[in-house]
Amino acid sequence: MHFFEYKDQELYCEDTNISEIAGKVKTPFYLYSHATLERHFRVFDEAFRGIDHITCFSMKSNSNGAILKLFSQAGGGVDIVSGGELYRALKAGMSPDKIVYSGVGKTAEEIEYALEADILMFNAESPQEIIRLNEVAGSIGKKARIAIRVNPDVDPQTHPYISTGLKENKFGIDINKSFDEYVKASKMDNIEVTGVSCHIGSQLTRVSPFVDALKKVKELIARLDDSGIKIKNLDLGGGLGVTYNDEKPPLPDEYAAALRENLGGMGLTLILEPGRVIMANSGILVAKVLYTKANEDKNFTVVDAAMNDLARPSLYGSYHSVKPVKMDSTDVINMDIVGPICESGDFLAKNREMASLKQGDLIAVMSAGAYGFAMSSTYNSRPRVAEVMVKGHKYYTIRERETYEDLVKGEIIPDFIK
Ligand code: LLP
């Protein structure tokens, strides 16, 4: 459920008319609904009521400081994957004891930074990384609290680029080999084994792969327990899917119930790393039609947002619903909605049947709050767009549009060229 709705044929975000925001901040821009963000976080978190748990928002989906602060104030933590994410999280006031750190390629500098910050747990993804964690912790007189991220070889039945829990994927340590690695890690001087972690993929639309993975992880925890290695934290990652088009993913309550049934009094702290389920439908990308043109086969609508602003359609062939901000046409045509970038892969929607658009019309690219701005770039020297948040009938810029000066910031022309 979200708060982007038509009132008298005009699209609103909560009580704010989107055309009016566009008139002030110019297009393109990302727009987030405060009420939706708050609701999504709360619904997810409350689905696990009664279970000792931490909702660690997966900030790779959206790392804007205002959004992070909102979730931190709601009691959340974060799942990070880089030193940069740690920096942003700390700056937004996230409590270090609610920060978990995943990723296959943590550098020694990043590890040291996270140890100094005293984060809750590293999710280690290889035997060599565990050795590195032990070394770095020893060099600064700290202990690294770790989980091993296990790869359970469960098919999440999602897009191959966002499947992570199969043997062919680069993530984690094979669950069948992880026991031996736990034994080794538990003997290291500067390692404290505290958890098991597992994330099998993103945009999952069924609960069964989560449950299959949980069952395998449970067996591992029992085996570790028998050999004296006590696990405190069970990190089940993120991955719950959303509706972009006609998908019917389980609701957070159904997801939580399925996990709950299989957790059965394990007496652990459960860590969850939702990203998309909270963010995707809390944000949209607003763009303006620059030109329309047609040939015998196709209608093209050229808008001022492009694949650098929203990479998902080009990168994964993802579907994002596109809505007119003002519903003033009833003439339905088939069109490609494309951006100004010089690549045929630059499209936001292909073969879309929708009401025709004309120059100057505004469109809303829906479900763009997750992996939208976060994956944007300045390709074709296009400054990154603004981010705006609506609360009720007011809007707030939460990141300014970049300028041309920002594009060249840090560039140095060496003397021999001058
Ligand atoms: N935890 C870990 C360790 C992850 O790798 C991810 C996502 C998450 C949590 C959050 O997953 P979520 O709840 O958002 O599904 N750029 C792609 C998605 C990449 C997801 C990568 N990992 C997209 O736009 O669909």
Side-chain angles (χ1 to χ4, degrees):
M1 189 195 157
H2 60 72
F3 295 92
F4 296 95
E5 278 168 353
Y6 285 103
K7 292 181 195 169
D8 293 334
Q9 320 281 318
E10 295 209 28
L11 194 62
Y12 275 68
C13 176
E14 303 183 21
D15 300 320
T16 307
N17 182 313
I18 294 175
S19 304
E20 280 171 22
I21 306 175
K24 296 270 168 41
V25 305
K26 309 289 180 245
T27 53
F29 63 96
Y30 276 93
L31 181 64
Y32 308 103
S33 150
H34 175 265
T36 312
L37 288 163
E38 220 177 27
R39 181 189 151 85
H40 284 183
F41 185 89
R42 184 168 37 80
V43 166
F44 187 93
D45 194 53
E46 285 180 1
F48 293 91
R49 64 193 162 270
I51 299 179
D52 181 14
H53 75 280
I54 314 173
T55 298
C56 290
F57 171 61
S58 191
M59 64 178 282
K60 64 176 77 66
S61 66
N62 193 308
S63 53
N64 184 287
I67 289 172
L68 296 180
K69 200 152 208 158
L70 197 72
F71 296 151
S72 120
Q73 285 169 358
V78 275
D79 141 46
I80 62 167
V81 289
S82 70
E85 286 195 349
L86 177 56
Y87 174 79
R88 283 175 178 274
L90 295 173
K91 200 164 160 29
M94 281 287 166
S95 166
D97 62 2
K98 291 183 180 171
I99 299 180
V100 289
Y101 190 172
S102 303
V104 297
K106 305 175 189 82
T107 65
E109 292 76 16
E110 288 175 317
I111 290 170
E112 184 172 336
Y113 181 27
L115 284 167
E116 293 290 2
D118 204 20
I119 65 164
L120 175 64
M121 188 167 83
F122 291 87
N123 292 336
E125 305 221 14
S126 65
Q128 288 187 1
E129 184 192 330
I130 302 173
I131 295 170
R132 175 68 46 87
L133 283 159
N134 185 47
E135 283 166 3
V136 177
S139 72
I140 55 170
K142 303 241 176 206
K143 269 202 164 205
R145 288 180 287 272
I146 72 153
I148 289 181
R149 174 168 175 187
V150 296
N151 184 326
D153 198 27
V154 167
D155 185 357
Q157 297 159 16
T158 180
H159 191 287
Y161 285 12
I162 50 177
S163 291
T164 48
L166 282 169
K167 271 199 178 133
E168 67 199 53
N169 304 133
K170 68 178 175 180
F171 297 96
I173 294 179
D174 181 343
I175 192 161
N176 300 314
K177 297 197 176 130
S178 64
F179 180 81
D180 292 345
E181 296 304 328
Y182 268 108
V183 173
K184 280 190 224 160
S186 66
K187 293 183 181 140
M188 294 183 187
D189 289 342
N190 311 301
I191 295 285
E192 185 189 346
V193 170
T194 59
V196 176
S197 93
C198 172
H199 167 84
I200 55 172
S202 196
Q203 182 56 9
L204 272 70
T205 50
R206 300 174 53 197
V207 287
S208 53
F210 290 115
V211 171
D212 293 346
L214 173 56
K215 285 183 177 157
K216 291 194 176 186
V217 167
K218 256 180 93 166
E219 280 171 23
L220 171 67
I221 293 177
R223 194 168 160 216
L224 289 171
D225 195 63
D226 288 346
S227 60
I229 299 174
K230 304 290 169 203
I231 296 300
K232 289 193 259 185
N233 301 320
L234 169 56
D235 182 343
L236 288 177
L240 188 57
V242 302
T243 304
Y244 285 102
N245 187 10
D246 51 9
E247 305 90 336
K248 294 206 167 47
L251 295 171
D253 258 344
E254 298 167 67
Y255 166 68
L259 297 185
R260 204 184 278 268
E261 214 172 280
N262 287 280
L263 280 169
M266 288 172 77
L268 299 164
T269 299
L270 185 63
I271 295 170
L272 301 143
E273 302 176 353
R276 190 187 314 267
V277 68
I278 293 176
M279 277 314 306
N281 286 309
S282 301
I284 64 174
L285 173 63
V286 181
K288 189 165 73 188
V289 176
L290 296 174
Y291 306 105
T292 62
K293 61 177 183 177
N295 60 29
E296 307 88 81
D297 295 329
K298 276 208 166 285
N299 296 303
F300 293 101
T301 303
V302 184
V303 298
D304 60 1
M307 65 190 281
N308 71 301
D309 304 308
L310 179 65
R312 305 191 71 257
S314 306
L315 194 55
Y316 315 112
S318 308
Y319 178 97
H320 284 262
S321 160
V322 177
K323 294 185 174 176
V325 169
K326 281 190 188 172
M327 284 207 280
D328 52 8
S329 162
T330 48
D331 161 33
V332 172
I333 61 166
N334 183 292
M335 66 176 97
D336 282 8
I337 300 178
V338 302
I341 283 188
C342 300
E343 296 210 24
S344 295
D346 177 27
F347 58 87
L348 298 176
K350 280 220 147 171
N351 288 319
R352 205 55 71 80
E353 298 280 332
M354 61 181 279
S356 64
L357 293 161
K358 58 180 187 314
Q359 268 188 297
D361 282 353
L362 295 172
I363 59 163
V365 184
M366 306 303 289
S367 318
Y371 308 107
F373 187 88
M375 289 175 72
S376 67
S377 75
T378 58
Y379 185 41
N380 274 207
S381 287
R382 294 168 48 83
R384 263 179 288 248
V385 305
E387 291 179 286
V388 177
M389 187 187 288
V390 160
K391 184 174 191 297
H393 55 265
K394 282 193 157 170
Y395 71 87
Y396 304 83
T397 297
I398 58 170
R399 191 178 203 274
E400 283 176 5
R401 186 179 307 283
E402 288 179 357
T403 62
Y404 289 155
E405 291 79 62
D406 292 330
L407 289 177
V408 293
K409 186 169 169 238
E411 282 185 10
I412 298 168
I413 299 176
D415 283 349
F416 72 90
I417 294 176
K418 274 177 197 159

